[in-house]
Amino acid sequence: MTPRTDTDAATPGWRIGVLYSRSGVTGTTESQHFFGTVLAVEEINALGGVLGRPLEPVVYDPRSDAEEYRRLAARLLLDDEVNVIFGGCTSHCRKAMLPVVERSNALLWYASVYEGFEYSPNVIYTGAAPNQGSMQLAAYLIQHCGKRIFLVGADYIYPRETNRIMRDTVEEHGGEILDETYLPLGCDEGEIIDVVRDIRRIKPDVVFSTLIGDDAQRFYRRYHAACEADPGAPHIPIASLTMAESEVAEIGPALCAGHITAATYFNTVDSPANAHFLDLWRARFGDRPASVYAEACYSQVHLFARALQRAGSLDTRKLVQAVHQVGFDAPGGRLTILAENNHSVLTPRIGLCRADGRFDIVWASGEPVKPDPYLTAFGLDEFWLA
């Protein structure tokens, strides 16, 4: 992030905490979170900051470790006297920070797709809830791929809860879950090979993967190698809520062609806001692809700046009240926060990966979808895709 100059020193800044991993199993994904945050902070500061004061990030790398997330959140809140944190990727890391944040009555901004079934007055959830991706993906898979589905995921709360939603939804609509298996984070290569072998043996219509980070990348590579070794077999796509452009670039785009992702943003979105975002992104980061992880963090920092402009204070109560009254024309569509649950109104999309690593958007919601993190309107009727 751009350092302040001596001429800026007389103007006190707004100190914010930034906790995203640049290393570890989710380093690729969280680096996108970090870069999106950097881009927004630098853009806001270049325009004069908020109320004439720059945003001043205090940055740490939790290394994809839940305990490190908890420790560094406490350090930010207690030692660095920060009251607002942008951070977290996996649900077990978010839940590690949550008690610390709530005890300090601080405010956490969380930008990852997650399993839902949570609310905290001290968290602003800007990632997708289950009714903003999971349900639409289930409908798409049943309609376009088939009803025989294989589930594979990492062994922690997000994959297990997301797979539970997928299982209930598929079975309610006449589908069948052929297998459901979980691998530990940082699993052995042999465990991935065994899962790929099971998929090739069972021959589902589609695989739904909730593996994350480096493990997911290794799974896609092994899966492609197995398909290459059996060229006469039918193409069985992998569907995901997390395999974005940044992960595809690490795997190798050609290895991901034909696979499916549901997300609230792809960098192929055609809008003036996305064109502006991508111009800034390329000028700052070159050929590195932008993904939903970068876009969500870029957008939430801008939304925070608008709320801070209105509140004039980092006080949690005042900030949250202000957040409910502002919006931002984000690259993925208009972003607002629902006052009743602190979750974001977002536009779900489904993309088909191309050989160049970008996604053809094969379906998009006609309008932004209100978050329903507890799935009070469970069922596919409203998600059935034309």
Side-chain angles (χ1 to χ4, degrees):
M1 297 187 183
T2 305
R4 299 183 69 191
T5 65
D6 291 339
T7 57
D8 296 326
T11 305
W14 304 101
R15 287 164 63 84
I16 58 174
V18 177
L19 283 184
Y20 294 119
S21 302
R22 304 297 303 283
S23 57
V25 67
T26 55
T28 297
T29 299
E30 295 197 54
S31 289
Q32 287 273 314
H33 284 315
F34 178 77
F35 296 143
T37 302
V38 167
L39 198 64
V41 168
E42 292 181 350
E43 183 181 14
I44 291 164
N45 286 348
L47 294 172
V50 179
L51 299 174
R53 298 167 58 183
L55 301 180
E56 289 191 343
V58 182
V59 180
Y60 297 115
D61 178 0
R63 304 193 303 273
S64 306
D65 180 81
E67 175 56 28
E68 204 52 7
Y69 259 108
R70 186 206 61 76
R71 187 183 70 81
L72 291 174
R75 179 176 174 179
L76 282 169
L77 298 171
L78 301 177
D79 298 340
D80 297 316
E81 299 182 345
V82 165
N83 194 53
V84 175
I85 296 175
F86 297 87
C89 177
T90 62
S91 287
H92 66 300
C93 291
R94 182 189 72 256
K95 288 185 178 295
M97 289 188 288
L98 192 54
V100 180
V101 169
E102 290 180 335
R103 280 198 301 270
S104 298
N105 193 28
L107 188 62
L108 173 66
W109 291 72
Y110 181 72
S112 287
V113 57
Y114 89 116
E115 67 282 352
F117 299 92
E118 181 180 292
Y119 163 77
S120 170
N122 297 91
V123 181
I124 303 296
Y125 304 83
T126 60
N131 74 309
Q132 296 168 316
S134 292
M135 304 297 287
Q136 292 84 350
L137 182 59
Y140 182 88
L141 297 183
I142 290 171
Q143 285 182 274
H144 296 278
C145 299
K147 295 185 176 182
R148 302 171 63 256
I149 300 176
F150 187 109
L151 306 180
V152 56
D155 193 7
Y156 73 100
I157 184 172
Y158 164 72
R160 286 190 175 275
E161 283 297 296
T162 301
N163 282 342
R164 179 184 63 79
I165 293 168
M166 180 64 73
R167 173 185 284 277
D168 290 348
T169 305
V170 168
E171 291 179 346
E172 181 179 313
H173 288 80
E176 181 183 5
I177 300 301
L178 302 181
D179 200 353
E180 181 174 354
T181 188
Y182 294 92
L183 301 179
L185 289 171
C187 59
D188 294 335
E189 196 72 15
E191 294 175 288
I192 293 175
I193 292 171
D194 287 344
V195 171
V196 170
R197 186 180 296 120
D198 287 343
I199 294 168
R200 303 304 295 173
R201 175 178 54 83
I202 294 172
K203 294 182 173 59
D205 295 323
V206 63
V207 177
F208 178 54
S209 170
T210 47
L211 293 170
I212 63 163
D214 294 346
D215 298 341
Q217 294 172 28
R218 291 187 291 134
F219 171 65
Y220 274 67
R221 291 191 192 102
R222 285 290 183 181
Y223 187 80
H224 179 80
C227 293
E228 287 282 289
D230 188 11
H235 172 67
I236 301 172
I238 302 172
S240 172
L241 296 165
T242 57
M243 187 53 62
E245 293 92 341
S246 46
E247 284 70 21
V248 167
E250 291 291 326
I251 296 165
L255 279 60
C256 299
H259 295 315
I260 303 161
T261 297
T264 55
Y265 171 82
F266 296 101
N267 60 33
T268 46
V269 167
D270 184 12
S271 71
N274 191 40
H276 171 75
F277 169 66
L278 292 178
D279 285 345
L280 290 176
W281 179 270
R282 294 182 188 115
R284 184 65 170 84
F285 301 116
D287 293 335
R288 185 191 304 272
S291 75
V292 64
Y293 306 116
E295 186 270 348
C297 285
Y298 169 85
S299 300
Q300 73 175 8
V301 173
H302 273 286
L303 193 69
F304 159 75
R306 280 156 174 73
L308 181 58
Q309 179 88 21
R310 177 179 286 263
S313 168
L314 290 173
D315 176 80
T316 295
R317 182 183 60 83
K318 293 179 180 178
L319 262 181
V320 171
Q321 287 178 345
V323 166
H324 298 153
Q325 298 169 350
V326 298
F328 176 61
D329 288 325
R334 184 70 176 172
L335 174 64
T336 57
I337 305 297
L338 209 61
E340 64 194 61
N341 56 32
N342 280 358
H343 285 65
S344 299
V345 179
L346 298 168
T347 303
R349 296 173 170 91
I350 295 174
L352 191 65
C353 190
R354 307 188 316 217
D356 65 357
R358 305 186 79 194
F359 284 81
D360 287 325
I361 298 172
V362 296
W363 178 86
S365 173
E367 59 185 17
V369 174
K370 289 184 177 181
D372 182 14
Y374 288 92
L375 289 180
T376 57
F378 185 81
L380 277 191
D381 290 345
E382 66 178 293
F383 303 108
W384 215 245
L385 312 182

